[in-house]
Amino acid sequence: MPIEVRGVDNLKRALRKYDPDLFKAMNKEIGTALKSVSNEAKRDVEPNIFSGAMDTGAVRVSRTSRDRAFPVYNSSVIRNGLTYTLARKKKNRSGFSAAYSLLNKSAIGSIVEIAGTKNPGGDPSSQSNNPNAGNQFIQELNQTYGNFRKVGRGKGRLMYKALDDNQGKARDAILKAIEDATKQFKAVTK
Amino acid sequence: MTVVIPIVSEFQGKGFKQAETSTEKLTKSLKRLAVSLGVALSTRKIVQFGKASVLAASDLEEAVSKASVVFGRGSAQIEEFGRTSATALGISSAAAIEAAGTYGNLLQAFGIGQTQAQGMSTTLVQLAADMASFNNTPIDQAITALRSGLSGETEPLKRYGVALQDVRLKTEALRLGLIKSTKEALTPGAKAQAAYELILKDTVLAQGDFARTSSGVANSLKILAASATNAQTIIGTKLIQSMDLLVDREDGVQALADSFEDMATFIGNVALGLAEVTNNTKTLFGLLPGDGFSGRDLLQAIPVVGSYLEFFAKKGEKLSASQESKQGMLSRALAKEQGKLASRNFTIQKKTTAELAKQNKIKKDMNKLDKAGSMLDLEKIQIEAALQGELTDNERLRLQLMKALVNENADRAEFLAKELEKSQNSISKLKNSLTEFKPSSPFDEWIDAIERMRTMLAGMGVSGMGMPQAPMSPSAGSPTIDSNLGAGFIDDFLTRDKATGERVVNVYVQGTGSLDAETKQAVVDTIVEASTLGYSTGWFRTTGQLGGL
């Protein structure tokens, strides 16, 4: 569950203007905390998965109306996509936006992360010739990576799992970094 | 496709909610209008109109850009041509400039010079309007047919009464001097020029038809449609400018929402007014894309278009004026924010200082209590009862200290602790002074005194002085002073009188002769004087020749 804070943008603005060194130090601490989680997720990436999904080097073309083919499984691509960002993300419908977030950027990484969260038995509107393709794919993923790990409202197999294993340490470290930066800034601006 | 997992999030719904509220207000105000007008209004349509306007403005911009590349300096004349195209040709400015640019590009590709191509392009656009008017076709079709004819395709132009055969083209080229004989092959440029001339020849009847029939229904509609498109373009241009200025501001979302609300109210008022005049409330929707244009709607829509222009022109003017003060506004806003931040920091600093002072005081009090408590060596006391008893000053102090500690009176405890410490220190000092007390040893001083005495007594004829235990034999001669006085004998000189118990110093003076009283006294005085211990005469007891002085 993300922690709601107030005034992070104001703090960032003030630090960027009046104490850039402190701003960099704060970002470094936050980055370290987030990196620990993303590195943990990277360690959990399995090198292989069922044979039909592996990258054989062949060029894949979509057989449906979609622009691109289903992405192949490539562990290095997945690892490269597991990262974090310190940038402000877009507001959601409720008006909340993330100040700091973890990302699973690659297409195949995202699929491995959340496939089956919405339709555990596969997408009913799938255009595959095999009507059980989605279900089989999800089952294979569950066998390889285990069941979903839930954090807050979200659940997943890679980054969510790493976040769950982290047990809030990264979040606490981030909050501490923000708090320390605030205190130091107040002390400096006396 | 990125999975984003927020770790720390913040609510930023202020502008978001305000925009939502503004949209709700907009919808409500439009619904109220709908009730009064008796028709159903939709904000979506207004938004669609706005979008179409922006697209139209974008199309014009693209066309002008293309013309500037194709015609270079001559593009100004092309733009001027476009300005009057709506009324003169029944096509919008964007379409006219676009068509001219296309023709110009094609002709230059065939090797025709820029200036010549410019003249030919505008003529062709005009001809397209005339051909469309003459043959009752859409202008776009005529423009496309002419382009095909220039490229060598003859079929599309046949409908318009233009026959471009190879024989005719060669003949025309020969006439123009582009080739020397009909057997010579035509270059693309020569072919295009010959085709151009033939087209002009074959469309003599159609030329000028638009102007002749502009008052007719068909051409009127075209003029109106072109005017409406031009109006949309203008609106779109203003919209783009407005949006650029508004979105740059911090309250961009709110300002945009407000402007749409204002626009809706304005349009509503205009529609109301129009309804009163024409009794036709569908005028507004006649202008909107997707509903199609009917002549009636267009005619009635012109005042609304004018209202749009007026509204957005005013809006644009306001925003343009504010652009100059934008920098000043930003600077003032920044200064204000800095002031707020400084003020907030000062408040926080004051609070922090007060808090720290309070904490320091608490800390000091605790230290005092700890210090006083560390001096206690009693576990249980009945303080009050004990204080009633007869106590020494030290004990009383301790009990009072205990009482202060039990009552948690830190100041009183501190005071008593200090008093107790002083008392203990003075006792310690006394003890130290006693234990360290060593009476000045008469030994060293005594030796000096004896030496002096001996010297003085020798001067007086006294030759002997010794211990009473070992009196010298008064054998003969002057009294002698025994000089063999060592350290071990010093205690013997310090004796106690057996009768009184007082300390006395025995001095035995041995002399062989007799001493008169005066001499005896002098001896005693000398001894007393020589004694650096400050002993009084009473300390001395003389024996021997001095007798019992």
Side-chain angles (χ1 to χ4, degrees):
Chain A
M1 177 82 171
I3 293 292
E4 185 192 339
V5 294
R6 291 186 188 185
V8 172
D9 277 349
N10 287 339
L11 175 67
K12 280 184 184 177
R13 214 175 289 131
L15 286 178
R16 205 181 282 125
K17 188 172 171 62
Y18 297 109
D19 199 340
D21 292 335
L22 183 58
F23 182 58
K24 278 185 198 168
M26 182 184 79
N27 281 347
K28 197 176 170 187
E29 280 184 46
I30 293 168
T32 307
L34 291 172
K35 201 171 182 178
S36 66
V37 180
S38 66
N39 285 346
E40 185 64 36
K42 284 178 186 179
R43 280 192 279 274
D44 291 335
V45 175
E46 295 291 332
N48 295 310
I49 202 167
F50 60 93
S51 59
M54 293 301 295
D55 185 3
T56 58
V59 174
R60 286 193 171 195
V61 178
S62 175
R63 295 183 294 108
T64 63
S65 57
R66 297 197 172 109
D67 290 336
R68 55 178 180 172
F70 195 86
V72 292
Y73 187 92
N74 189 322
S75 58
S76 60
V77 168
I78 296 175
R79 270 191 219 99
N80 287 341
L82 291 167
T83 180
Y84 63 91
T85 180
L86 305 184
R88 171 72 65 182
K89 304 300 285 181
K90 267 176 74 173
K91 272 184 291 202
N92 62 14
R93 286 184 190 180
S94 311
F96 282 89
S97 70
Y100 307 107
S101 38
L102 293 163
L103 305 174
N104 192 339
K105 286 166 98 168
S106 61
I108 186 62
S110 302
I111 289 168
V112 168
E113 181 81 51
I114 59 172
T117 54
K118 195 174 169 188
N119 295 309
D123 187 2
S125 62
S126 168
Q127 298 183 45
S128 174
N129 290 331
N130 175 9
N132 292 325
N135 188 29
Q136 286 167 358
F137 179 75
I138 291 162
Q139 295 307 319
E140 289 285 349
L141 281 178
N142 286 341
Q143 274 185 9
T144 309
Y145 282 95
N147 289 332
F148 294 119
R149 298 286 278 277
K150 198 171 176 194
V151 178
R153 290 188 183 175
K155 53 183 177 181
R157 293 186 183 88
L158 283 173
M159 198 63 98
Y160 275 102
K161 178 176 175 294
L163 195 57
D164 190 33
D165 289 339
N166 189 257
Q167 294 186 342
K169 288 176 202 161
R171 182 198 61 208
D172 293 341
I174 291 168
L175 291 175
K176 187 174 177 302
I178 294 170
E179 211 176 306
D180 288 347
T182 310
K183 278 183 191 167
Q184 282 184 50
F185 181 65
K186 283 177 183 173
V188 164
T189 54
K190 268 185 192 174
Chain B
M1 186 185 169
T2 302
V3 173
V4 178
I5 305 172
I7 302 296
V8 172
S9 64
E10 190 171 0
F11 181 69
Q12 293 192 316
K14 190 177 170 192
F16 183 73
K17 279 208 166 165
Q18 282 178 346
E20 272 185 332
T21 311
S22 296
T23 310
E24 281 173 15
K25 277 189 201 171
L26 178 66
T27 309
K28 278 182 192 167
S29 67
L30 288 172
K31 280 184 180 168
R32 278 200 297 272
L33 269 173
V35 167
S36 65
L37 288 174
V39 295
L41 288 174
S42 164
T43 52
R44 191 173 59 85
K45 293 226 171 183
I46 293 180
V47 169
Q48 277 177 355
F49 179 81
K51 276 187 188 171
S53 303
V54 168
L55 284 171
S58 172
D59 288 343
L60 176 62
E61 204 177 318
E62 290 294 315
V64 167
S65 171
K66 182 178 174 180
S68 66
V69 172
V70 171
F71 299 112
R73 288 182 189 176
S75 63
Q77 290 172 3
I78 300 293
E79 283 176 48
E80 188 57 40
F81 170 73
R83 277 194 201 101
T84 56
S85 62
T87 49
L89 306 173
I91 52 174
S92 65
S93 303
I97 296 171
E98 169 67 26
T102 304
Y103 287 137
N105 194 21
L106 186 65
L107 291 167
Q108 286 182 56
F110 289 146
I112 296 170
Q114 194 179 64
T115 312
Q116 192 180 358
Q118 182 183 326
M120 289 168 72
S121 300
T122 52
T123 305
L124 284 168
V125 173
Q126 191 148 9
L127 184 60
D130 289 334
M131 283 163 59
S133 169
F134 189 73
N135 295 280
N136 198 24
T137 64
I139 293 176
D140 292 343
Q141 203 172 349
I143 290 172
T144 308
L146 282 171
R147 194 177 65 228
S148 303
L150 289 172
S151 308
E153 295 172 36
T154 59
E155 197 59 39
L157 278 172
K158 283 183 181 170
R159 184 186 176 170
Y160 297 96
V162 178
L164 296 175
Q165 290 112 0
D166 284 342
V167 173
R168 289 191 73 206
L169 286 168
K170 281 189 178 178
T171 308
E172 188 63 28
L174 187 66
R175 187 185 74 76
L176 290 170
L178 299 171
I179 52 173
K180 289 180 183 170
S181 73
T182 55
K183 289 181 184 176
E184 196 176 319
L186 286 172
T187 61
K191 197 173 182 180
Q193 276 186 290
Y196 174 75
E197 292 298 330
L198 280 178
I199 289 168
L200 286 177
K201 275 185 185 173
D202 291 351
T203 56
V204 163
L205 294 174
Q207 288 172 27
D209 186 75
F210 190 89
R212 287 195 299 271
T213 60
S214 62
S215 57
V217 174
N219 284 351
S220 297
L221 289 175
K222 286 178 185 174
I223 290 170
L224 286 168
S227 300
T229 306
N230 281 353
Q232 255 192 336
T233 306
I234 294 167
I235 290 166
T237 308
K238 294 289 182 188
L239 259 181
I240 290 169
Q241 285 175 3
S242 306
M243 280 163 78
D244 281 343
L245 289 169
L246 286 168
V247 168
D248 279 347
R249 284 166 51 165
E250 286 182 3
D251 57 345
V253 173
Q254 175 62 38
L256 263 175
D258 283 344
S259 70
F260 279 123
E261 190 176 341
D262 291 341
M263 184 183 81
T265 309
F266 189 83
I267 291 167
N269 290 338
V270 168
L272 270 173
L274 202 60
E276 282 175 14
V277 173
T278 63
N279 200 29
N280 187 348
T281 58
K282 286 186 182 175
T283 306
L284 183 64
F285 302 100
L287 193 58
L288 299 175
D291 291 338
F293 290 96
S294 67
R296 198 183 172 83
D297 289 339
L298 284 170
L299 283 168
Q300 287 169 342
I302 289 174
V304 178
V305 169
S307 303
Y308 273 115
L309 295 178
E310 189 189 340
F311 174 77
F312 283 105
K314 281 184 184 168
K315 198 80 177 173
E317 278 168 16
K318 273 188 196 172
L319 289 166
S320 297
S322 73
Q323 183 74 10
E324 291 175 1
S325 64
K326 189 178 173 185
Q327 194 58 41
M329 187 179 75
L330 285 172
S331 304
R332 282 195 294 277
L334 183 65
K336 198 176 168 186
E337 282 301 313
Q338 285 175 353
K340 277 185 191 171
L341 186 68
S343 164
R344 208 178 308 135
N345 284 342
F346 178 68
T347 310
I348 290 165
Q349 180 189 347
K350 269 176 69 176
K351 280 185 189 170
T352 311
T353 308
E355 194 62 38
L356 275 174
K358 194 177 167 187
Q359 284 174 8
N360 281 343
K361 188 174 180 307
I362 291 168
K363 209 173 167 183
K364 276 184 187 170
D365 288 345
M366 292 305 294
N367 284 343
K368 285 177 199 172
L369 288 170
D370 287 340
K371 193 177 173 186
S374 67
M375 297 184 75
L376 293 172
D377 56 359
L378 299 175
E379 289 182 356
K380 283 186 184 180
I381 53 170
Q382 293 179 353
I383 300 168
E384 292 295 333
L387 280 169
Q388 302 301 320
E390 288 184 3
L391 304 163
T392 63
D393 290 341
N394 197 14
E395 285 167 353
R396 188 168 294 281
L397 268 175
R398 283 174 180 269
L399 286 172
Q400 283 171 347
L401 175 61
M402 282 294 295
K403 183 179 174 183
L405 289 169
V406 165
N407 293 334
E408 292 184 3
N409 188 343
D411 290 333
R412 175 79 177 149
E414 185 184 4
F415 171 73
L416 289 169
K418 281 181 183 170
E419 291 298 313
L420 191 59
E421 199 173 344
K422 275 185 205 170
S423 164
Q424 285 181 342
N425 284 346
S426 61
I427 292 169
S428 301
K429 271 186 190 169
L430 191 57
K431 277 189 187 168
N432 289 340
S433 65
L434 287 172
T435 55
E436 288 176 0
F437 174 72
K438 289 179 185 175
S440 305
S441 168
F443 173 66
D444 295 332
E445 293 166 351
W446 182 248
I447 295 294
D448 289 338
I450 288 177
E451 287 299 319
R452 279 197 293 275
M453 270 197 299
R454 186 179 295 118
T455 307
M456 287 174 196
L457 288 172
M460 287 186 281
V462 175
S463 62
M465 187 174 78
M467 292 167 53
Q469 289 87 344
M472 291 182 185
S473 169
S475 56
S478 303
T480 59
I481 300 171
D482 185 29
S483 62
N484 292 325
L485 293 171
F489 298 105
I490 195 66
D491 288 339
D492 295 336
F493 286 94
L494 288 170
T495 61
R496 285 194 184 268
D497 187 80
K498 285 178 183 175
T500 62
E502 292 178 11
R503 290 173 185 255
V504 291
V505 178
N506 275 332
V507 176
Y508 177 75
V509 176
Q510 176 75 30
T512 56
S514 63
L515 297 171
D516 56 9
E518 194 178 332
T519 305
K520 283 180 190 175
Q521 189 61 48
V523 169
V524 171
D525 289 337
T526 303
I527 292 167
V528 169
E529 192 181 341
S531 167
T532 58
L533 293 177
Y535 294 136
S536 63
T537 311
W539 277 76
F540 288 89
R541 180 165 302 155
T542 57
T543 55
Q545 291 288 84
L546 292 176
L549 281 175

